[in-house]
Amino acid sequence: MATRARVRAPELIGKGGWLNTGDTQYTLADLRGRIVILDFWTFCCINCLHVLDELRELEEKHRDTVVIIGVHSPKFVHEAEHQAVVDAVERYQVHHPVLDDPELATWKQYAVRAWPTLVVIDPEGYVVAQHAGEGHAHAIEKLVEELEAEHAAKGTLRRGDGPYVAPEPVATHLRFPGKALVLPDGDFLVSDTTRHQLVRLAADGETVVQRYGDGERGLVDGGPERARFSEPQGLALLPDGRVVVADTVNHALRVLDLETSETTTAAGTGRQWWQGSPTSGVAREVDLSSPWDVAWWQGEVWIAMAGVHQLWAYDPERGTVRVAAGTTNEGLVDGPVAEAWFAQPSGLAATEERLWIADSETSALRYVDRDGAVHTAVGTGLFDFGHRDGAAGQALLQHALGVTALPDGSVAVSDTYNHALRRYAPPAHEGASGEVTTLATDLREPSDAVLVGEDIVVVESARHRLTRLRLPDEAVRVEAVAHRTQRAATEVTAGKLRLDVVFQAPAGQKLDTRYGPSTRLLVSSTPPELLTGGEGAGTDLSRDLEIDPAVAEGVLHVSAMAASCDDDPSNEYPACHVHQQDWGVPVRVSADGVTRLPLVLAGMDQE
């Protein structure tokens, strides 16, 4: 067995306590003898949700030796609320213990810098591997198999049932609904996300008329009792009367024929899109990545492709898909569609002139105009959020998931983590400021809204219902609050800063160099003046950056990718794997700051 680096694992601490354990509070000593995988996640993060799904098979296959523990480490203020974490654990069907760590105590102890991060602890209580980002399940399974063999031989492996205790199910008509659509006859169609169904409700918004899907997670076409979805979200009416569905965790678009009640697959393969995959082509042959919402605009179905921070478009007549806007880099950058950056676009609303976008991770309201340019109406970037009304340039949202066009040209924003419905009124003339007001509060994680006559019907996701409101004549007065993410800034020295993205190919694999360099590194900063050298793209995972001493603080944006393949000379077609992660690292310039910034993509930092 190869010698591997081992570091004693710090204790698990979380002020919010444990979930999914039947109220038992665990320590690492209680888990000795088991292989422990810590999954540092936060429920706003699409990459974290991808990792939850990546781990499901490993969790089932090694359930008698492996204990996965989700360490919930919040980005947004709302995510530090204990009940919100309880809701998220049910919403995303997390079937392992979760430690609620609202103050990031365990995050800091493990020196985590990114969501998601996976840490593997061996049966003797030592950290043996760390992985940031997605795409590591195959490497972790290989390591688990090695640890099982090694510790079984040593007598230090303890098999048996894990600490997971399922919570009691709750009976409601809807369970964490995502999006809604008003049908031509006045009924509502709602994506019942956690139950993997679509539900048709009568015009009262309460009476169940029809369910589509058998309620089990899957990708199966057919009638209402046979079809299967996986956490569906967005819904849009096609010109021919059918409904297109963003089937989020299936990475697919589905189409529901309301006349026959049959569901078919229109786009996607069921596999998640990775860097290097096709970005256009026959819709059923191109991979997608967590489509979250859909809207009919300019003769195509536009897709909020949350998983890769882009907008795509599906042409139902040609049966094709294509990238329509965004670079896959996460952030807030306006400009031509091919150059814009988004951050988990999660809500769409179309008007004649604009496609409005709820860009959730930047807490921003944005739009694409008919000339192919992206603009930001409200929002400043990845790290600032809050609830502040007034001039749009200084107004704040908090992880908004939905947007609804109103008849007067303004838009309603489902301001999800503020539990509010907000309104943005565009400026009356060029150069003036738009205004942001609050229409309603005391909603619970609103994720979408639809117009019905004089009323607006809100999807209250965490109250499992549709709520009808009369659009008010006057705004609700709300005390302004502003927040930044809770992560402490890393103190760095001015001048030269060595950036090292640590990547060690997993056991049994090697870097894939068949088609050129197998790694990629992209670096930028906010503000751009923070870096006087080292920004831009390259293939080396280490780079010297130059920090401007005149800029006191900022954020380094680092995106890394590495491709590895199975190292088996006898296999003519080895399996290949992509590892990728984006970091946003808050930094503060200090005379006593570090001169080296290590970011672990996979492996252990040996320096």
Side-chain angles (χ1 to χ4, degrees):
M1 190 67 60
T3 302
R4 61 173 66 88
R6 299 202 311 170
V7 177
R8 176 62 72 180
E11 190 51 82
L12 304 178
I13 305 165
K15 189 175 181 180
W18 290 81
L19 305 175
N20 282 355
T21 63
D23 295 327
T24 300
Q25 307 297 300
Y26 282 92
T27 67
L28 275 178
D30 298 325
L31 303 171
R32 198 62 50 82
R34 311 299 291 271
I35 300 163
V36 177
I37 301 173
L38 303 181
D39 176 15
F40 289 87
W41 70 299
T42 189
F43 63 80
C44 71
C45 162
I46 191 67
N47 311 91
C48 299
L49 304 185
H50 290 166
V51 167
L52 283 176
D53 291 307
E54 286 180 7
L55 292 175
R56 292 188 199 277
E57 185 177 343
L58 182 147
E59 191 169 21
E60 180 62 29
K61 185 176 178 181
H62 298 274
R63 62 191 312 166
D64 66 334
T65 59
V66 170
V67 174
I68 296 176
I69 294 174
V71 182
H72 190 269
S73 313
K75 173 186 175 181
F76 290 98
V77 168
H78 170 59
E79 293 172 317
E81 297 175 17
H82 182 70
Q83 185 57 48
V85 181
V86 172
D87 288 344
V89 167
E90 181 189 351
R91 179 196 298 268
Y92 296 115
Q93 299 182 318
V94 180
H95 293 164
H96 51 247
V98 172
L99 176 64
D100 181 11
D101 182 19
E103 297 176 345
L104 301 180
T106 297
W107 167 286
K108 294 169 186 172
Q109 287 290 311
Y110 281 82
V112 174
R113 294 185 183 274
W115 294 281
T117 290
L118 297 168
V119 175
V120 182
I121 302 172
D122 74 12
E124 294 178 287
Y126 289 89
V127 174
V128 293
Q130 182 171 326
H131 302 265
E134 305 176 48
H136 302 293
H138 62 283
I140 291 176
E141 176 155 20
K142 178 80 171 175
L143 177 57
V144 163
E145 291 169 352
E146 290 182 2
L147 291 171
E148 285 176 341
E150 176 184 341
H151 289 273
K154 290 173 67 175
T156 50
L157 183 69
R158 178 166 56 90
R159 295 180 182 270
D161 292 335
Y164 171 67
V165 177
E168 288 293 320
V170 181
T172 52
H173 287 318
L174 302 172
R175 205 71 194 158
F176 298 104
K179 304 288 185 182
L181 178 68
V182 181
L183 299 176
D185 65 358
D187 284 358
F188 296 95
L189 188 67
V190 183
S191 53
D192 198 19
T193 303
T194 296
R195 292 210 179 109
H196 314 298
Q197 292 180 321
L198 308 180
V199 179
R200 186 171 187 153
L201 300 176
D204 62 9
E206 297 179 5
T207 305
V208 175
V209 176
Q210 173 77 67
R211 291 183 181 272
Y212 305 92
D214 70 358
E216 295 294 324
R217 185 190 296 272
L219 179 54
V220 179
D221 290 341
E225 296 177 359
R226 184 175 186 274
R228 287 187 172 180
F229 303 89
S230 189
E231 299 180 31
Q233 286 281 349
L235 306 164
L237 202 63
L238 295 173
D240 63 9
R242 297 180 302 157
V243 176
V244 63
V245 182
D247 195 4
T248 304
V249 178
N250 276 329
H251 310 295
L253 294 189
R254 316 290 293 283
V255 171
L256 170 64
D257 188 322
L258 295 169
E259 296 295 323
T260 65
S261 298
E262 291 281 319
T263 297
T264 55
T265 300
T269 63
R271 297 183 301 271
Q272 184 183 338
W273 186 94
W274 289 97
Q275 290 287 350
S277 299
T279 55
S280 64
V282 177
R284 289 293 305 273
E285 298 174 5
V286 176
D287 299 339
L288 309 181
S289 183
S290 297
W292 206 276
D293 202 6
V294 282
W296 181 258
W297 191 54
Q298 294 188 315
E300 293 179 292
V301 175
W302 284 64
I303 309 163
M305 202 72 79
V308 286
H309 318 299
Q310 290 180 312
L311 305 180
W312 287 42
Y314 162 61
D315 185 331
E317 284 194 16
R318 293 194 176 100
T320 57
V321 291
R322 64 181 178 89
V323 171
T327 64
T328 77
N329 296 116
E330 183 178 15
L332 192 153
V333 177
D334 290 339
V337 288
E339 300 171 13
W341 291 22
F342 298 94
Q344 277 178 229
S346 301
L348 300 175
T351 67
E352 185 66 27
E353 297 299 322
R354 294 178 177 180
L355 180 71
W356 292 98
I357 305 145
D359 203 29
S360 62
E361 277 294 279
T362 53
S363 298
L365 173 66
R366 307 175 72 186
Y367 64 91
V368 181
D369 64 26
R370 292 177 66 89
D371 295 327
V374 177
H375 307 264
T376 297
V378 182
T380 61
L382 285 164
F383 298 95
D384 294 286
F385 56 92
H387 191 149
R388 188 161 64 198
D389 288 333
Q394 58 84 53
L396 293 173
L397 309 169
Q398 186 180 180
H399 197 77
L401 292 177
V403 59
T404 308
L406 301 179
D408 64 358
S410 66
V411 291
V413 179
S414 295
D415 193 6
T416 310
Y417 287 3
N418 279 328
H419 309 302
L421 190 68
R422 312 285 293 283
R423 176 178 179 264
Y424 167 73
H429 54 84
E430 195 71 31
S433 174
E435 288 288 320
V436 175
T437 54
T438 298
L439 296 174
T441 57
D442 193 31
L443 301 166
R444 187 70 188 170
E445 293 193 16
S447 55
D448 195 20
V450 292
L451 280 176
V452 181
E454 299 284 314
D455 298 337
I456 190 165
V457 176
V458 180
V459 180
E460 270 199 280
S461 189
R463 283 200 179 114
H464 321 292
R465 70 188 188 191
L466 302 186
T467 298
R468 186 181 294 260
L469 305 172
R470 177 58 54 94
L471 281 171
D473 293 328
E474 295 185 6
V476 178
R477 294 188 64 83
V478 177
E479 185 177 348
V481 293
H483 305 287
R484 298 211 88 203
T485 52
Q486 297 184 48
R487 285 180 292 168
T490 298
E491 295 200 347
V492 300
T493 187
K496 181 180 175 182
L497 175 67
R498 181 68 172 177
L499 172 65
D500 287 328
V501 174
V502 178
F503 178 77
Q504 294 148 9
Q509 295 181 31
K510 64 179 181 180
L511 287 173
D512 179 14
T513 57
R514 292 172 298 167
Y515 308 108
S518 60
T519 55
R520 186 189 71 170
L521 180 65
L522 178 67
V523 180
S524 63
S525 66
T526 303
E529 295 77 23
L530 176 67
L531 285 177
T532 59
E535 68 273 21
T539 58
D540 194 333
L541 291 181
S542 293
R543 187 180 300 179
D544 288 331
L545 308 180
E546 286 290 333
I547 304 294
D548 188 342
V551 179
E553 61 182 9
V555 178
L556 291 176
H557 303 283
V558 180
S559 178
M561 184 274 289
S564 62
C565 288
D566 293 345
D567 188 10
D568 182 359
S570 65
N571 185 354
E572 187 178 356
Y573 303 103
C576 295
H577 315 275
V578 175
H579 318 256
Q580 62 185 49
Q581 174 61 22
D582 294 337
W583 291 267
V585 183
V587 296
R588 183 178 300 114
V589 179
S590 164
D592 300 323
V594 299
T595 58
R596 176 177 177 265
L597 178 62
L599 300 175
V600 177
L601 179 59
M604 297 279 284
D605 182 24
Q606 304 294 341
E607 292 192 30

